[in-house]
Amino acid sequence: MNYNIVIVISVVICAIISLFISYYLALFIVGEDSNFFKAVQLIIAIISMTTFYAPTKHIIIKFMNLNEDESENK
């Protein structure tokens, strides 16, 4: 499997995780009727995307037995 496909898969997985986390956490913090709901949801989504991207990519690379250094040189 190509390294670029691994990156796309990890971004999609992180986006789905961040969608659920940001929605429910923003709903818990400010409530859906608040004017700041979308802003809080965006901030939480950015934080969760940056938090979960690297571990997800690492797990997928280890699962696929793909060496990151070799794929960047090709």
Side-chain angles (χ1 to χ4, degrees):
M1 184 171 261
N2 194 358
Y3 182 73
N4 294 334
I5 294 173
V6 170
I7 298 299
V8 170
I9 291 171
S10 63
V11 166
V12 169
I13 290 171
C14 289
I16 292 170
I17 291 171
S18 294
L19 172 72
F20 289 118
I21 289 175
S22 66
Y23 178 75
Y24 289 114
L25 201 57
L27 188 64
F28 178 72
I29 293 172
V30 294
E32 199 167 9
D33 296 333
S34 175
N35 293 333
F36 298 110
F37 180 74
K38 291 292 181 183
V40 171
Q41 187 178 9
L42 177 66
I43 292 168
I44 295 170
I46 291 170
I47 292 170
S48 63
M49 278 289 287
T50 57
T51 303
F52 293 122
Y53 173 70
T56 305
K57 183 179 84 170
H58 180 73
I59 289 169
I60 293 174
I61 286 174
K62 291 297 179 184
F63 179 73
M64 301 305 253
N65 294 327
L66 182 67
N67 192 357
E68 186 175 349
D69 296 332
E70 292 176 2
S71 63
E72 290 177 355
N73 294 333
K74 290 182 181 179

